[in-house]
Amino acid sequence: MLKKFINWIRKITLKGGNVYCCVCENNFLTFLPSGDESKAHARCPGCNSIDRHRQLYSLSTDFIAQNKTNTTLLHIAPEFALSERFRKNKHVNYFAIDKFESGYEYPKYVQAMDITDLKFQNNVFDLILCSHVLEHIEQDTLAIQNLLKVLKPTGICYIVVPYFPELEKTYHNPNANTDALRFLNYGQSDHVRQYGLDFRDRLTQAGCLVSTLNFKANYSESEQIKLGFLNAEIIFKITKNG
Ligand SMILES: [Zn+2]
């Protein structure tokens, strides 16, 4: 309740025209630092989205607008600011799944499902969003193959991972088998690897056609500031191969 009140105050006091959030469609004086990732100019005072959420939402709304039929959308480990918008969109058939962890509460619309054991039929989704998920999954190749299976031949899946281009090869230490060791090795206790430059090859080897989208390269600095893409991440766009 207190958190909601603080959010409301923040939203009112930061009203202004300097920046625009495409998720909640509000203008504010500024974006706020993102507490958990210590990034400046990242979090929307209105909906709490951060850069990669806005990127994904922007791409998704473009897709939904261009899709001639309703868009059947699978959202893995959903970002709640985005869920709220997708669920209100009458052109979207929305499915959200997550691997439920004890100690967390999940909204009713989220189904408990493991990405390595998807319970959907093949070729059903027009659009899949999978952001900051694969770095948590031991069998990430199986997860990618599963996403491809449930994707329609005309569908698109957007994947974002913590990406370390300074690493030529993805780093995985099989001895990092405790929270403390995973934190030491990967910077987060629930990660199981750090993806390097070969991430694209890993997607290709799993059977995907891959292209990358770079919001930082495609927007001027003033647009990045205005739209909150200063901390934008590389997005991997995958489709079925044939
Ligand atoms: Zn917002």
Side-chain angles (χ1 to χ4, degrees), residues 26-134:
N26 281 310
N27 291 286
F28 296 102
L29 291 173
T30 183
F31 288 110
L32 297 168
S34 163
D36 50 344
E37 295 175 34
S38 312
K39 287 175 179 167
H41 201 75
R43 192 168 292 283
C44 171
C47 66
N48 279 318
S49 66
I50 59 172
D51 304 60
R52 65 172 178 267
H53 305 162
R54 291 186 287 274
Q55 288 175 274
L56 283 172
Y57 190 69
S58 172
L59 291 168
S60 301
T61 49
D62 285 350
F63 180 95
I64 293 161
Q66 285 162 19
N67 203 15
K68 290 191 170 57
T69 56
N70 273 7
T71 295
T72 304
L73 195 165
L74 176 61
H75 196 178
I76 319 277
E79 297 85 2
F80 298 130
L82 306 195
S83 301
E84 211 168 285
R85 299 309 306 265
F86 290 135
R87 292 178 70 235
K88 287 179 181 164
N89 188 325
K90 63 180 190 303
H91 301 294
V92 173
N93 305 320
Y94 183 70
F95 295 82
I97 64 165
D98 210 334
K99 189 177 176 184
F100 284 15
E101 304 280 353
S102 60
Y104 289 90
E105 279 190 32
Y106 297 85
K108 283 197 172 63
Y109 59 82
V110 181
Q111 299 180 55
M113 204 185 293
D114 189 327
I115 190 173
T116 60
D117 186 23
L118 289 180
K119 305 292 187 193
F120 299 108
Q121 291 189 336
N122 292 347
N123 305 314
V124 287
F125 292 104
D126 298 290
L127 181 61
I128 300 178
L129 305 179
C130 181
S131 174
H132 283 234
V133 172
L134 295 177

